mmCIF file of all heavy atoms in Angstrom:
data_model
loop_
_atom_site.group_PDB
_atom_site.id
_atom_site.type_symbol
_atom_site.label_atom_id
_atom_site.label_comp_id
_atom_site.label_asym_id
_atom_site.label_seq_id
_atom_site.Cartn_x
_atom_site.Cartn_y
_atom_site.Cartn_z
ATOM 1 N N VAL A 243 -138.236 3.050 25.490
ATOM 2 C CA VAL A 243 -138.131 3.522 26.866
ATOM 3 C C VAL A 243 -139.475 3.269 27.542
ATOM 4 O O VAL A 243 -140.524 3.574 26.978
ATOM 5 C CB VAL A 243 -137.788 5.032 26.892
ATOM 6 C CG1 VAL A 243 -137.721 5.548 28.311
ATOM 7 C CG2 VAL A 243 -136.481 5.300 26.169
ATOM 8 N N VAL A 244 -139.425 2.717 28.745
ATOM 9 C CA VAL A 244 -140.672 2.473 29.458
ATOM 10 C C VAL A 244 -141.288 3.821 29.826
ATOM 11 O O VAL A 244 -140.569 4.782 30.131
ATOM 12 C CB VAL A 244 -140.464 1.603 30.717
ATOM 13 C CG1 VAL A 244 -140.015 0.204 30.340
ATOM 14 C CG2 VAL A 244 -139.495 2.233 31.674
ATOM 15 N N PRO A 245 -142.612 3.928 29.782
ATOM 16 C CA PRO A 245 -143.270 5.212 30.012
ATOM 17 C C PRO A 245 -142.912 5.880 31.344
ATOM 18 O O PRO A 245 -142.760 7.095 31.404
ATOM 19 C CB PRO A 245 -144.758 4.866 29.949
ATOM 20 C CG PRO A 245 -144.824 3.675 29.060
ATOM 21 C CD PRO A 245 -143.573 2.894 29.355
ATOM 22 N N GLY A 246 -142.763 5.112 32.405
ATOM 23 C CA GLY A 246 -142.416 5.703 33.709
ATOM 24 C C GLY A 246 -141.075 6.412 33.676
ATOM 25 O O GLY A 246 -140.923 7.520 34.192
ATOM 26 N N ALA A 247 -140.082 5.774 33.057
ATOM 27 C CA ALA A 247 -138.751 6.388 32.956
ATOM 28 C C ALA A 247 -138.800 7.614 32.055
ATOM 29 O O ALA A 247 -138.207 8.656 32.361
ATOM 30 C CB ALA A 247 -137.741 5.373 32.429
ATOM 31 N N ALA A 248 -139.518 7.484 30.935
ATOM 32 C CA ALA A 248 -139.620 8.613 30.010
ATOM 33 C C ALA A 248 -140.316 9.795 30.678
ATOM 34 O O ALA A 248 -139.891 10.947 30.529
ATOM 35 C CB ALA A 248 -140.369 8.200 28.748
ATOM 36 N N LEU A 249 -141.360 9.532 31.450
ATOM 37 C CA LEU A 249 -142.080 10.596 32.135
ATOM 38 C C LEU A 249 -141.183 11.275 33.166
ATOM 39 O O LEU A 249 -141.175 12.509 33.278
ATOM 40 C CB LEU A 249 -143.342 10.045 32.795
ATOM 41 C CG LEU A 249 -144.204 11.065 33.524
ATOM 42 C CD1 LEU A 249 -144.725 12.132 32.565
ATOM 43 C CD2 LEU A 249 -145.361 10.374 34.235
ATOM 44 N N ALA A 250 -140.410 10.484 33.910
ATOM 45 C CA ALA A 250 -139.501 11.059 34.912
ATOM 46 C C ALA A 250 -138.464 11.960 34.236
ATOM 47 O O ALA A 250 -138.186 13.070 34.698
ATOM 48 C CB ALA A 250 -138.820 9.942 35.702
ATOM 49 N N VAL A 251 -137.890 11.476 33.133
ATOM 50 C CA VAL A 251 -136.901 12.281 32.408
ATOM 51 C C VAL A 251 -137.562 13.534 31.846
ATOM 52 O O VAL A 251 -137.025 14.640 31.943
ATOM 53 C CB VAL A 251 -136.225 11.456 31.282
ATOM 54 C CG1 VAL A 251 -135.381 12.343 30.382
ATOM 55 C CG2 VAL A 251 -135.375 10.348 31.887
ATOM 56 N N LEU A 252 -138.727 13.376 31.271
ATOM 57 C CA LEU A 252 -139.454 14.497 30.675
ATOM 58 C C LEU A 252 -139.778 15.576 31.712
ATOM 59 O O LEU A 252 -139.556 16.766 31.471
ATOM 60 C CB LEU A 252 -140.733 13.984 30.026
ATOM 61 C CG LEU A 252 -141.338 14.796 28.912
ATOM 62 C CD1 LEU A 252 -140.348 15.008 27.785
ATOM 63 C CD2 LEU A 252 -142.579 14.091 28.381
ATOM 64 N N LEU A 253 -140.277 15.177 32.870
ATOM 65 C CA LEU A 253 -140.590 16.145 33.920
ATOM 66 C C LEU A 253 -139.334 16.845 34.430
ATOM 67 O O LEU A 253 -139.329 18.068 34.642
ATOM 68 C CB LEU A 253 -141.330 15.466 35.071
ATOM 69 C CG LEU A 253 -142.760 15.016 34.779
ATOM 70 C CD1 LEU A 253 -143.331 14.242 35.967
ATOM 71 C CD2 LEU A 253 -143.645 16.195 34.418
ATOM 72 N N GLY A 254 -138.270 16.081 34.619
ATOM 73 C CA GLY A 254 -137.013 16.674 35.078
ATOM 74 C C GLY A 254 -136.430 17.661 34.076
ATOM 75 O O GLY A 254 -135.974 18.746 34.442
ATOM 76 N N VAL A 255 -136.492 17.282 32.803
ATOM 77 C CA VAL A 255 -135.958 18.164 31.767
ATOM 78 C C VAL A 255 -136.798 19.433 31.652
ATOM 79 O O VAL A 255 -136.263 20.526 31.492
ATOM 80 C CB VAL A 255 -135.862 17.418 30.417
ATOM 81 C CG1 VAL A 255 -135.632 18.365 29.267
ATOM 82 C CG2 VAL A 255 -134.739 16.394 30.473
ATOM 83 N N TRP A 256 -138.124 19.308 31.768
ATOM 84 C CA TRP A 256 -138.965 20.499 31.680
ATOM 85 C C TRP A 256 -138.790 21.406 32.894
ATOM 86 O O TRP A 256 -138.857 22.625 32.778
ATOM 87 C CB TRP A 256 -140.428 20.130 31.448
ATOM 88 C CG TRP A 256 -140.671 20.022 29.975
ATOM 89 C CD1 TRP A 256 -140.570 18.902 29.212
ATOM 90 C CD2 TRP A 256 -140.978 21.099 29.093
ATOM 91 N NE1 TRP A 256 -140.812 19.214 27.891
ATOM 92 C CE2 TRP A 256 -141.072 20.557 27.787
ATOM 93 C CE3 TRP A 256 -141.192 22.457 29.255
ATOM 94 C CZ2 TRP A 256 -141.359 21.333 26.676
ATOM 95 C CZ3 TRP A 256 -141.483 23.235 28.148
ATOM 96 C CH2 TRP A 256 -141.566 22.672 26.877
ATOM 97 N N ALA A 257 -138.537 20.841 34.066
ATOM 98 C CA ALA A 257 -138.218 21.671 35.239
ATOM 99 C C ALA A 257 -136.926 22.436 34.971
ATOM 100 O O ALA A 257 -136.826 23.638 35.237
ATOM 101 C CB ALA A 257 -138.094 20.806 36.489
ATOM 102 N N PHE A 258 -135.934 21.734 34.428
ATOM 103 C CA PHE A 258 -134.679 22.386 34.046
ATOM 104 C C PHE A 258 -134.939 23.460 32.996
ATOM 105 O O PHE A 258 -134.425 24.573 33.095
ATOM 106 C CB PHE A 258 -133.686 21.349 33.507
ATOM 107 C CG PHE A 258 -132.479 21.973 32.862
ATOM 108 C CD1 PHE A 258 -131.411 22.416 33.631
ATOM 109 C CD2 PHE A 258 -132.416 22.130 31.490
ATOM 110 C CE1 PHE A 258 -130.309 23.009 33.037
ATOM 111 C CE2 PHE A 258 -131.309 22.712 30.883
ATOM 112 C CZ PHE A 258 -130.254 23.157 31.658
ATOM 113 N N ASN A 259 -135.730 23.140 31.968
ATOM 114 C CA ASN A 259 -135.987 24.073 30.873
ATOM 115 C C ASN A 259 -136.588 25.386 31.373
ATOM 116 O O ASN A 259 -136.157 26.468 30.967
ATOM 117 C CB ASN A 259 -136.942 23.460 29.844
ATOM 118 C CG ASN A 259 -136.327 22.307 29.092
ATOM 119 O OD1 ASN A 259 -135.123 22.095 29.099
ATOM 120 N ND2 ASN A 259 -137.172 21.524 28.448
ATOM 121 N N LEU A 260 -137.601 25.291 32.222
ATOM 122 C CA LEU A 260 -138.265 26.496 32.698
ATOM 123 C C LEU A 260 -137.362 27.320 33.615
ATOM 124 O O LEU A 260 -137.328 28.546 33.524
ATOM 125 C CB LEU A 260 -139.581 26.136 33.393
ATOM 126 C CG LEU A 260 -140.618 25.472 32.482
ATOM 127 C CD1 LEU A 260 -141.838 25.059 33.279
ATOM 128 C CD2 LEU A 260 -140.992 26.368 31.315
ATOM 129 N N GLY A 261 -136.620 26.654 34.468
ATOM 130 C CA GLY A 261 -135.654 27.371 35.310
ATOM 131 C C GLY A 261 -134.544 27.985 34.485
ATOM 132 O O GLY A 261 -134.138 29.135 34.708
ATOM 133 N N HIS A 262 -134.057 27.236 33.523
ATOM 134 C CA HIS A 262 -132.994 27.728 32.658
ATOM 135 C C HIS A 262 -133.437 28.960 31.879
ATOM 136 O O HIS A 262 -132.686 29.919 31.728
ATOM 137 C CB HIS A 262 -132.557 26.625 31.681
ATOM 138 C CG HIS A 262 -131.484 27.062 30.753
ATOM 139 N ND1 HIS A 262 -131.762 27.668 29.545
ATOM 140 C CD2 HIS A 262 -130.140 27.011 30.856
ATOM 141 C CE1 HIS A 262 -130.627 27.961 28.939
ATOM 142 N NE2 HIS A 262 -129.631 27.577 29.719
ATOM 143 N N LEU A 263 -134.665 28.937 31.383
ATOM 144 C CA LEU A 263 -135.169 30.085 30.628
ATOM 145 C C LEU A 263 -135.189 31.340 31.506
ATOM 146 O O LEU A 263 -134.850 32.429 31.049
ATOM 147 C CB LEU A 263 -136.562 29.788 30.066
ATOM 148 C CG LEU A 263 -137.168 30.870 29.179
ATOM 149 C CD1 LEU A 263 -136.264 31.208 27.999
ATOM 150 C CD2 LEU A 263 -138.542 30.434 28.692
ATOM 151 N N GLY A 264 -135.543 31.197 32.775
ATOM 152 C CA GLY A 264 -135.492 32.326 33.708
ATOM 153 C C GLY A 264 -134.082 32.862 33.870
ATOM 154 O O GLY A 264 -133.862 34.083 33.880
ATOM 155 N N PHE A 265 -133.088 31.964 33.990
ATOM 156 C CA PHE A 265 -131.688 32.402 34.086
ATOM 157 C C PHE A 265 -131.252 33.114 32.806
ATOM 158 O O PHE A 265 -130.601 34.151 32.844
ATOM 159 C CB PHE A 265 -130.751 31.211 34.315
ATOM 160 C CG PHE A 265 -130.897 30.549 35.646
ATOM 161 C CD1 PHE A 265 -130.831 29.164 35.750
ATOM 162 C CD2 PHE A 265 -131.087 31.271 36.809
ATOM 163 C CE1 PHE A 265 -130.953 28.533 36.974
ATOM 164 C CE2 PHE A 265 -131.219 30.650 38.038
ATOM 165 C CZ PHE A 265 -131.147 29.277 38.118
ATOM 166 N N LEU A 266 -131.616 32.538 31.689
ATOM 167 C CA LEU A 266 -131.221 33.086 30.385
ATOM 168 C C LEU A 266 -131.789 34.485 30.182
ATOM 169 O O LEU A 266 -131.072 35.408 29.783
ATOM 170 C CB LEU A 266 -131.700 32.140 29.279
ATOM 171 C CG LEU A 266 -131.250 32.457 27.871
ATOM 172 C CD1 LEU A 266 -129.779 32.101 27.706
ATOM 173 C CD2 LEU A 266 -132.089 31.683 26.875
ATOM 174 N N LEU A 267 -133.073 34.667 30.472
ATOM 175 C CA LEU A 267 -133.702 35.971 30.271
ATOM 176 C C LEU A 267 -133.191 37.001 31.275
ATOM 177 O O LEU A 267 -133.058 38.181 30.946
ATOM 178 C CB LEU A 267 -135.223 35.849 30.334
ATOM 179 C CG LEU A 267 -135.847 34.987 29.230
ATOM 180 C CD1 LEU A 267 -137.360 34.916 29.396
ATOM 181 C CD2 LEU A 267 -135.469 35.463 27.845
ATOM 182 N N GLN A 268 -132.866 36.575 32.490
ATOM 183 C CA GLN A 268 -132.274 37.497 33.470
ATOM 184 C C GLN A 268 -130.904 37.965 32.979
ATOM 185 O O GLN A 268 -130.572 39.138 33.096
ATOM 186 C CB GLN A 268 -132.148 36.828 34.842
ATOM 187 C CG GLN A 268 -131.486 37.694 35.896
ATOM 188 C CD GLN A 268 -132.290 38.917 36.266
ATOM 189 O OE1 GLN A 268 -133.501 38.955 36.091
ATOM 190 N NE2 GLN A 268 -131.636 39.925 36.794
ATOM 191 N N CYS A 269 -130.136 37.064 32.425
ATOM 192 C CA CYS A 269 -128.821 37.427 31.885
ATOM 193 C C CYS A 269 -128.990 38.428 30.744
ATOM 194 O O CYS A 269 -128.265 39.428 30.662
ATOM 195 C CB CYS A 269 -128.097 36.167 31.406
ATOM 196 S SG CYS A 269 -126.384 36.431 30.948
ATOM 197 N N LEU A 270 -129.953 38.193 29.877
ATOM 198 C CA LEU A 270 -130.234 39.112 28.774
ATOM 199 C C LEU A 270 -130.672 40.477 29.296
ATOM 200 O O LEU A 270 -130.256 41.519 28.781
ATOM 201 C CB LEU A 270 -131.306 38.511 27.860
ATOM 202 C CG LEU A 270 -131.629 39.266 26.585
ATOM 203 C CD1 LEU A 270 -130.385 39.410 25.706
ATOM 204 C CD2 LEU A 270 -132.736 38.545 25.824
ATOM 205 N N LYS A 271 -131.494 40.484 30.342
ATOM 206 C CA LYS A 271 -131.926 41.748 30.951
ATOM 207 C C LYS A 271 -130.731 42.516 31.503
ATOM 208 O O LYS A 271 -130.629 43.734 31.339
ATOM 209 C CB LYS A 271 -132.937 41.462 32.064
ATOM 210 C CG LYS A 271 -133.448 42.702 32.757
ATOM 211 C CD LYS A 271 -134.423 42.328 33.867
ATOM 212 C CE LYS A 271 -134.873 43.577 34.599
ATOM 213 N NZ LYS A 271 -135.223 43.287 35.985
ATOM 214 N N GLN A 272 -129.814 41.817 32.146
ATOM 215 C CA GLN A 272 -128.632 42.470 32.699
ATOM 216 C C GLN A 272 -127.758 43.048 31.591
ATOM 217 O O GLN A 272 -127.228 44.160 31.727
ATOM 218 C CB GLN A 272 -127.842 41.478 33.559
ATOM 219 C CG GLN A 272 -128.577 41.111 34.827
ATOM 220 C CD GLN A 272 -127.976 39.913 35.536
ATOM 221 O OE1 GLN A 272 -127.096 39.237 35.043
ATOM 222 N NE2 GLN A 272 -128.500 39.629 36.730
ATOM 223 N N ILE A 273 -127.631 42.336 30.487
ATOM 224 C CA ILE A 273 -126.872 42.862 29.344
ATOM 225 C C ILE A 273 -127.544 44.131 28.824
ATOM 226 O O ILE A 273 -126.872 45.136 28.549
ATOM 227 C CB ILE A 273 -126.746 41.802 28.231
ATOM 228 C CG1 ILE A 273 -125.838 40.658 28.678
ATOM 229 C CG2 ILE A 273 -126.222 42.426 26.936
ATOM 230 C CD1 ILE A 273 -125.854 39.445 27.751
ATOM 231 N N ASN A 274 -128.872 44.111 28.689
ATOM 232 C CA ASN A 274 -129.603 45.289 28.210
ATOM 233 C C ASN A 274 -129.413 46.488 29.142
ATOM 234 O O ASN A 274 -129.227 47.617 28.688
ATOM 235 C CB ASN A 274 -131.093 44.979 28.059
ATOM 236 C CG ASN A 274 -131.379 44.028 26.920
ATOM 237 O OD1 ASN A 274 -130.572 43.855 26.018
ATOM 238 N ND2 ASN A 274 -132.525 43.388 26.968
ATOM 239 N N GLU A 275 -129.476 46.257 30.450
ATOM 240 C CA GLU A 275 -129.310 47.343 31.412
ATOM 241 C C GLU A 275 -127.890 47.898 31.386
ATOM 242 O O GLU A 275 -127.695 49.115 31.447
ATOM 243 C CB GLU A 275 -129.668 46.863 32.819
ATOM 244 C CG GLU A 275 -131.150 46.619 33.000
ATOM 245 C CD GLU A 275 -131.501 45.960 34.317
ATOM 246 O OE1 GLU A 275 -130.597 45.398 34.993
ATOM 247 O OE2 GLU A 275 -132.689 45.984 34.679
#
């Protein structure tokens, strides 16, 4: 994979990962409450 494409995918996936983790932990908090 050319580095530019890999970097674009990597940045996009990490943006998804961090946002997803916020959704996941909020869902867990709601279950706890």
